[in-house]
């Protein structure tokens, strides 16, 4: 992550659930930390969901195999879900209601299947596709944070690639995430976080 602040990262005392990863440079550089986090969350009893483009999904599979995860077995057992299928409305646009409903449905199914919860991560550039409506992004993130408040079994990381998103999107991200993801063992409390209204 490209941290412009002079403040040094530190471990978050509690288990951070809704995190933000803001970074520059090739997205592939983030895959080792994401893969290590997925392996950790699987070991803790979570179902893991990764949403991104086909090349990034392929790269993650490779990273997971490198660190000793039997990817095919995890996929077959449905403990691990890797998807490059965008969640869009019937007209092909971003549907915030649909996106949040599918996420909560996936969480409910994970709990029904006996998991501790759902850990999910997605790249915001990929999730929003060609629709660059960042008012919807702000709406999505605030409503997602409200969902995290309501559903304690949900964990995840929203990925913001600054090379492909306007700077305003990163500023919005800082307002809607309580913690910043540094790596699989380190998070930083976000001083810019604004909790959602009840």
């Amino acid at each position: 992550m490209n941290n412009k602040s002079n403040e040094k990262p530190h471990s978050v005392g509690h288990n951070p659930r809704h995190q933000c990863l803001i970074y520059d440079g090739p997205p592939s550089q983030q895959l080792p930390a994401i893969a290590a986090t997925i392996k950790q969350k699987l070991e803790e009893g979570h179902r893991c969901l990764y949403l991104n483009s086909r090349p990034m999904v392929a790269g993650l599979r490779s990273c997971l195999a490198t660190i000793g995860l039997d990817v095919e077995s995890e996929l077959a057992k449905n403990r691990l879900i890797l998807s490059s299928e965008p969640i869009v409305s019937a007209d092909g646009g971003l549907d915030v209601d649909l996106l949040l409903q599918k996420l909560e449905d996936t969480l409910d199914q994970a709990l029904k299947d006996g998991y501790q919860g759902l850990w999910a991560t997605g790249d915001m550039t990929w999730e929003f596709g060609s629709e660059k409506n960042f008012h919807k992004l702000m709406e999505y993130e605030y409503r997602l944070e409200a969902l995290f408040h309501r559903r304690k079994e949900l964990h995840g990381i929203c990925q913001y690639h600054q090379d492909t998103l306007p700077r305003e999107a990163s500023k919005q991200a800082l307002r809607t995430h309580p913690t910043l993801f540094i790596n699989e063992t380190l998070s930083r409390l976000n001083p810019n976080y604004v909790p959602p209204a009840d």
Side-chain angles (χ1 to χ4, degrees):
M1 173 177 162
N2 184 20
N3 184 4
K4 306 287 186 187
S5 170
N6 291 326
E7 183 183 351
K8 293 182 179 179
H10 60 272
S11 295
V12 174
H14 63 288
N15 183 17
R17 294 191 304 110
H18 187 199
Q19 300 185 79
C20 184
L21 169 59
I22 301 174
Y23 69 94
D24 301 303
S28 58
Q29 291 181 351
Q30 309 304 319
L31 286 176
I34 295 295
T37 303
I38 287 174
K39 186 177 182 185
Q40 176 185 324
K41 291 300 179 183
L42 289 171
E43 290 169 352
E44 291 173 0
H46 292 79
R47 174 170 280 161
C48 290
L49 170 65
Y50 179 80
L51 304 169
N52 212 326
S53 65
R54 287 183 181 178
M56 291 298 290
V57 167
L60 180 68
R61 290 176 72 122
S62 177
C63 279
L64 289 169
T66 298
I67 61 175
L69 195 73
D70 186 339
V71 178
E72 295 308 319
S73 173
E74 299 294 355
L75 290 170
K77 290 183 287 189
N78 219 28
R79 290 211 317 153
L80 176 64
I81 303 170
L82 306 177
S83 177
S84 57
E85 294 298 321
I87 299 171
V88 295
S89 62
D91 62 4
L94 175 71
D95 187 327
V96 172
D97 290 327
L98 180 63
L99 198 55
L100 291 169
Q101 187 59 57
K102 283 192 173 290
L103 183 61
E104 190 162 16
D105 289 347
T106 305
L107 170 60
D108 287 338
Q109 188 61 54
L111 295 173
K112 190 180 296 184
D113 292 342
Y115 291 92
Q116 294 291 322
L118 176 71
W119 182 91
T121 186
D123 179 88
M124 303 314 291
T125 303
W126 174 83
E127 285 189 40
F128 275 69
S130 59
E131 184 176 350
K132 303 301 182 186
N133 185 338
F134 293 101
H135 291 292
K136 277 191 178 180
L137 174 59
M138 190 67 165
E139 176 194 354
Y140 170 71
E141 285 289 16
Y142 269 119
R143 289 178 61 188
L144 178 60
E145 175 61 3
L147 178 61
F148 271 91
H149 275 252
R150 186 163 54 83
R151 303 297 303 271
K152 302 302 183 185
E153 313 93 344
L154 183 61
H155 303 247
I157 300 170
C158 298
Q159 301 177 47
Y160 283 77
H161 186 199
Q162 293 195 124
D163 296 348
T164 58
L165 291 169
R167 292 287 165 170
E168 182 58 30
S170 298
K171 291 178 183 176
Q172 289 179 1
L174 289 172
R175 290 194 288 268
T176 54
H177 295 81
T179 55
L180 306 176
F181 178 84
I182 308 301
N183 58 42
E184 66 275 17
T185 60
L186 200 62
S187 296
R188 181 163 66 85
L189 290 171
N190 177 13
N192 300 297
Y193 170 63
V194 179
D198 292 336

